[in-house]
Amino acid sequence: MNTETISAAFYRGDKTFVVEKAVAVPPVAGEATVRIAYCGICGTDMHVYHGNMDARVGANRIIGHEMSGVVEAIGEGVSNVAVGQKVVVRPLDHCGNCPACLSGYAHICHNLKFLGLDTDGAMQELWTVPSHTLHILPDDLRLDHAALIEPVAVACHDVRLSDLQAGENVVVIGGGPIGVLVAMVARDAGGNVVISEVNPNRLEIAQSLGFDTVNPIETDLVNFINERTENKGADVVFEVSGTQPGVDAMTAVAATRARIVMVAIHAQKPTIDLFRFFWRELKLIGARVYEPEDYEKAISIIGSGGIDADIVVTDVAPLSEIQAAFEALDTSPTAMKSLIKVGMGA
Ligand SMILES: [Zn+2]
Ligand SMILES: [Zn+2]
């Protein structure tokens, strides 16, 4: 692969993306270059668009990490992937020497680099990354569906850390893209799942995916869960809303010895009802990004149809229309997950 001219979308600050020609970066030793098929727009990408992450990403950054593609070229010494294989990137690069890395938790390295925020990302036709970040996909997996693997891996990590057992009662607080994926992975693991969400459009999507839902503005969530569980409460609660009412609900619906998984990133330190932790011997579990096994699990769930990808993906737009895609996702009440079609077909 020589210095090919490609299309790339640059975030230039002030809610603006510009699609320009750029020169592809060839892979050096230990790297691989991926021809990008699709790249989903993450909630984090929306934070970039809104200017909340300018200090971190700068004003000339190619963002994007929820991608799928095909290996185009490999650098010297790369043996874990071959040219022509379908792949996704686990967009984490770690330092290898900090206490987290040395304890086996490289995914939450103290010096973690998130590819597509701290480095250029996948909203370009050819993306060069460390080859250790690649996971190989089955040949028959659709590349549009594969763009959901990164957010599904988040959900797989959350559900794995919750230690959910088949038959347990689960409440997912917040029915946005990650909440819905957590709910689907929890259901796939045998959980009896209820989604709590206030947005009517999101409630409709959750219902179309076959979930029991509650709008806690209209229905008392605690009563609803108690009625379903003979006053026991939920065995596992996922807090995905990032709101104070969500944090209040997470302890209120929790059964004795329930596990509560904190998935959301809260803008302020919320107030947590520690009394309930004492009375019911609750456990609070932090869950951040994913580990390699969560990626493998996400690939197998998507490959087996355990995620209804065609309902979760509500829009697909070409790279040339990335600006309009972000604007639409920002304002459309019915949008769930938008994909950018960066390059090749499905
Ligand atoms: Zn993401
Ligand atoms: Zn480290």
Side-chain angles (χ1 to χ4, degrees):
M1 188 191 100
N2 287 318
T3 47
E4 186 178 333
T5 302
I6 54 168
S7 290
F10 293 87
Y11 167 72
R12 292 272 162 78
D14 199 22
K15 292 191 175 181
T16 306
F17 289 93
V18 179
V19 179
E20 283 179 357
K21 292 292 171 198
V23 177
V25 179
V28 299
E31 290 185 333
T33 300
V34 180
R35 187 167 291 276
I36 304 296
Y38 292 89
C39 184
I41 300 176
C42 182
T44 311
D45 299 326
M46 290 308 293
H47 285 304
V48 171
Y49 171 75
H50 282 126
N52 300 331
M53 299 177 76
D54 282 2
R56 181 165 171 191
V57 302
N60 192 35
R61 174 65 80 210
I62 301 167
I63 64 168
H65 59 272
E66 297 186 359
M67 51 59 72
S68 61
V70 172
V71 178
E72 174 84 6
I74 55 175
E76 212 185 297
V78 170
S79 57
N80 62 322
V81 290
V83 170
Q85 282 178 323
K86 288 184 178 177
V87 290
V88 289
V89 170
R90 179 169 33 82
L92 306 178
D93 201 10
H94 58 282
C95 76
N97 332 299
C98 73
C101 284
L102 295 175
S103 313
Y105 305 115
H107 69 296
I108 47 172
C109 168
H110 296 186
N111 308 304
L112 191 69
K113 266 197 247 162
F114 197 97
L115 310 185
L117 291 174
D118 303 310
T119 68
D120 280 337
M123 295 290 189
Q124 56 177 329
E125 288 175 292
L126 291 172
W127 188 26
T128 298
V129 295
S131 74
H132 72 80
T133 64
L134 295 172
H135 289 260
I136 298 165
L137 305 178
D139 270 340
D140 59 354
L141 195 66
R142 280 173 53 173
L143 287 173
D144 54 345
H145 291 178
L148 290 176
I149 287 169
E150 192 268 356
V152 171
V154 170
C156 289
H157 189 66
D158 300 336
V159 171
R160 180 165 64 87
L161 293 194
S162 79
D163 198 28
L164 174 65
Q165 306 297 310
E168 286 191 314
N169 290 302
V170 177
V171 176
V172 177
I173 300 170
I178 291 290
V180 157
L181 294 176
V182 167
M184 282 192 270
V185 173
R187 179 167 67 185
D188 192 70
N192 174 16
V193 181
V194 173
I195 297 178
S196 172
E197 168 63 48
V198 295
N199 175 324
N201 297 298
R202 290 184 161 183
L203 283 166
E204 212 171 286
I205 292 177
Q207 286 154 7
S208 71
L209 290 163
F211 287 104
D212 289 337
T213 61
V214 176
N215 182 343
I217 291 171
E218 292 166 357
T219 306
D220 188 289
L221 176 65
V222 176
N223 284 344
F224 183 89
I225 298 301
N226 281 342
E227 271 167 32
R228 283 171 69 99
T229 59
E230 297 171 332
N231 286 323
K232 189 168 161 264
D235 305 295
V236 175
V237 183
F238 295 95
E239 195 331 75
V240 198
S241 75
T243 64
Q244 183 63 53
V247 170
D248 293 337
M250 80 183 186
T251 46
V253 300
T256 298
R257 289 254 176 132
R259 290 90 69 201
I260 299 173
V261 184
M262 182 50 68
V263 178
I265 299 169
H266 284 256
Q268 272 99 35
K269 284 184 186 174
T271 301
I272 298 174
D273 183 356
L274 292 180
F275 295 131
R276 294 284 291 189
F277 276 87
F278 177 76
W279 291 116
R280 293 208 161 179
E281 295 196 344
L282 304 178
K283 291 191 178 69
L284 181 61
I285 299 163
R288 186 176 155 204
V289 290
Y290 25 64
E291 295 174 84
E293 64 193 284
D294 302 311
Y295 253 70
E296 292 302 322
K297 177 78 179 170
I299 291 166
S300 87
I301 291 182
I302 290 195
S304 69
I307 299 290
D308 208 334
D310 290 324
I311 294 182
V312 177
V313 175
T314 44
D315 291 285
V316 182
L319 186 64
S320 56
E321 286 165 29
I322 185 171
Q323 180 70 34
F326 271 79
E327 287 169 8
L329 195 54
D330 201 25
T331 51
S332 162
T334 55
M336 182 63 81
K337 179 60 76 182
S338 297
L339 303 186
I340 299 297
K341 188 173 187 304
V342 179
M344 61 185 64

